[in-house]
Amino acid sequence: MSYWLIKSEGDCYSIDKFCKDKKTLWTGIRNFQARNYMMKDMKIGDLCLFYHSNDKPSGVYGLAKVTSQSVPDPTQFLEKDEHFDRKSKKEKPLWFCVEMSFVKKYPSVLSLEDIKKDTVLKVMQVAKRGNRLSVTPVSTSCFKRVEKILN
DNA sequence: GCCAACGTTGGC
DNA sequence: GCCAACGTTGGC
């Protein structure tokens, strides 16, 4: 099983909304590298750190679990949707998503500042300068470290 | 709100 | 296939 970090803007789709929904299609990813991770490497049962960007503070707020294989992202075909993509055709969709199920919200937040200060976690992609990828792999040791700090 | 970083687009 | 222009992300 693999571990991931998935980003969401706090005021766009928050951990609290996710907690109410229990599960959601992780739609709206419009970056090929992030898409490829979801399409090819994510497996059912993988665990994902749920990260808020552009929040106070930005950081890890909760945990999600992958509960489906990748399927075409329905929002790419919705003309009124902000994620509509005119280049994508139903016969050959461009964008894919997986279903995420809510696991838990952590009792506290692991802020980006904390991640950068931690000797183990500072190698995480999210801590790197200029990082913009919204789906990134997380090593087992980093995942265990996050769980240990937050539980 | 600013701006650095970086992915994407399109002209050539 | 190069690269300048442009748009977006996201920390601060």
Side-chain angles (χ1 to χ4, degrees), chain A residues 1-6 13 15 18-19 21-26 38 41-51 60-70 97-106 135 143 147:
Chain A
M1 115 140 105
S2 308
Y3 302 102
W4 306 91
L5 181 142
I6 55 174
Y13 192 82
I15 188 74
F18 188 32
C19 179
D21 292 347
K22 295 299 172 206
K23 56 183 181 180
T24 188
L25 273 181
W26 204 251
M38 280 201 301
D41 302 324
M42 268 191 186
K43 299 281 182 272
I44 291 173
D46 283 359
L47 293 172
C48 305
L49 299 171
F50 192 106
Y51 180 94
V60 175
Y61 280 70
L63 189 62
K65 185 194 271 189
V66 178
T67 47
S68 82
Q69 295 288 17
S70 62
C97 60
V98 298
E99 181 190 68
M100 293 287 179
S101 291
F102 179 82
V103 176
K104 63 183 165 182
K105 179 180 178 178
Y106 287 113
V135 178
F143 180 80
E147 281 272 302

Side-chain angles (χ1 to χ4, degrees), chain A residues 12 15-16 22 26 46 59-60 68 80 82 85 90 92 97 103 108-109 116-117 121 124-126 143 145:
Chain A
C12 179
I15 188 74
D16 291 325
K22 295 299 172 206
W26 204 251
D46 283 359
V60 175
S68 82
K80 298 272 165 59
E82 61 168 322
D85 188 340
K90 280 241 164 84
K92 200 172 177 236
C97 60
V103 176
S108 59
V109 178
K116 285 179 172 169
K117 275 193 295 197
L121 300 180
M124 289 176 74
Q125 292 235 52
V126 76
F143 180 80
R145 176 87 179 137

Side-chain angles (χ1 to χ4, degrees), chain A residues 2-147:
Chain A
S2 308
Y3 302 102
W4 306 91
L5 181 142
I6 55 174
K7 281 186 199 169
S8 176
E9 284 187 57
D11 53 9
C12 179
Y13 192 82
S14 70
I15 188 74
D16 291 325
K17 178 76 165 53
F18 188 32
C19 179
K20 273 185 217 146
D21 292 347
K22 295 299 172 206
K23 56 183 181 180
T24 188
L25 273 181
W26 204 251
T27 58
I29 301 292
R30 296 293 180 270
N31 169 285
F32 288 106
Q33 212 177 333
R35 180 203 69 172
N36 290 344
Y37 280 140
M38 280 201 301
M39 262 179 92
K40 298 174 180 161
D41 302 324
M42 268 191 186
K43 299 281 182 272
I44 291 173
D46 283 359
L47 293 172
C48 305
L49 299 171
F50 192 106
Y51 180 94
H52 281 195
S53 57
N54 284 318
D55 208 339
K56 289 175 185 164
S58 291
V60 175
Y61 280 70
L63 189 62
K65 185 194 271 189
V66 178
T67 47
S68 82
Q69 295 288 17
S70 62
V71 294
D73 179 340
T75 64
Q76 70 196 302
F77 304 120
L78 305 176
E79 234 168 293
K80 298 272 165 59
D81 196 279
E82 61 168 322
H83 296 297
F84 174 68
D85 188 340
R86 59 169 62 251
K87 295 193 299 279
S88 188
K89 298 281 166 277
K90 280 241 164 84
E91 322 78 78
K92 200 172 177 236
L94 261 183
W95 305 110
F96 288 77
C97 60
V98 298
E99 181 190 68
M100 293 287 179
S101 291
F102 179 82
V103 176
K104 63 183 165 182
K105 179 180 178 178
Y106 287 113
S108 59
V109 178
L110 182 67
S111 71
L112 180 61
E113 196 188 354
D114 297 335
I115 291 171
K116 285 179 172 169
K117 275 193 295 197
D118 189 273
T119 53
V120 177
L121 300 180
K122 67 181 181 191
V123 303
M124 289 176 74
Q125 292 235 52
V126 76
K128 301 243 165 80
R129 187 152 178 258
N131 159 74
R132 288 165 51 190
L133 250 195
S134 58
V135 178
T136 49
V138 171
S139 69
T140 305
S141 51
C142 283
F143 180 80
K144 295 229 163 97
R145 176 87 179 137
V146 172
E147 281 272 302

